[in-house]
Amino acid sequence: MPLHQPPSRRLLCGLASLLVWFSATALADSRPVLGWVEKGLILPEGVAVKFKLDTGALTSSMHAENIDRFEKDGEKWVRFDLDLEDINTDKRVDSRVERKIERELTVRGAAGKEDRPVVKMKVCLGKQVYEEEFSLNDRDDMLYPVLLGRRTLEKLGPVDASRTFTAEPDCSVSKTDG
């Protein structure tokens, strides 16, 4: 933009450029803004639990009990219990699940080093089904049975840390994997 234009024209051009930038930014991410805690469904069981959307974690984590590793067709698998309270019905849902181990995750903390299996699980959040990797860990002492880490969050959209429960899970509308 030439500097010899009158100030009012430069201001008008600057405002127009700013408007175009804001419009492009808004259109670039039309996904809903989620809160830091959301209700989600673990599929295929359909059990409704609280998901914590945690930008401080890289890998997502899911509550699992009685984790048994075994081999199937030459591959590493895991068998575990989903023993959770459905927050919609207050009933316990206990299901034995088998999944192929995608990878191992080493977690280091105050209690030392721990290796956890990572498996793919389907979850419903809002109107979308996502098949994501979850490390398995007994989260009985935690407030949230499911923690969604940054690898999953980048597919979901923006998170507003001041909000909770913004999207009721309803995956009957869209069965597409995210």
Side-chain angles (χ1 to χ4, degrees), residues 26-34 130 152-159:
L27 291 174
D29 196 348
S30 60
R31 298 173 294 183
V33 177
L34 299 169
Y130 300 91
T152 300
L153 294 178
E154 68 186 10
K155 298 170 188 166
L156 301 181
V159 177

Side-chain angles (χ1 to χ4, degrees), residues 2 5 15 21 34 44 46 48 55-56 78 107 111 132 156 164-165 171 174:
Q5 291 180 345
L15 288 174
W21 181 81
L34 299 169
T55 61
V78 66
V107 177
E132 296 296 320
L156 301 181
T164 57
F165 303 110
C171 290
S174 171

Side-chain angles (χ1 to χ4, degrees), residues 33-40 49-53 87 125 144 160 162-169:
V33 177
L34 299 169
W36 73 277
V37 176
E38 294 289 347
K39 185 193 305 184
V49 297
K50 293 178 185 175
F51 288 22
K52 178 180 180 185
L53 284 63
I87 60 176
L125 190 60
Y144 308 102
D160 182 343
S162 69
R163 298 173 68 188
T164 57
F165 303 110
T166 66
E168 188 70 22

Side-chain angles (χ1 to χ4, degrees), residues 106-116:
T106 301
V107 177
R108 291 173 182 82
K113 185 175 102 167
E114 177 185 14
D115 290 326
R116 296 180 187 167

Side-chain angles (χ1 to χ4, degrees), residues 72-90:
K72 182 176 178 180
D73 299 325
E75 296 181 311
K76 294 179 181 181
W77 281 64
V78 66
R79 183 179 298 120
F80 57 96
D81 292 332
L82 283 178
D83 184 13
L84 301 163
E85 185 174 324
D86 188 303
I87 60 176
N88 286 338
T89 64
D90 292 329

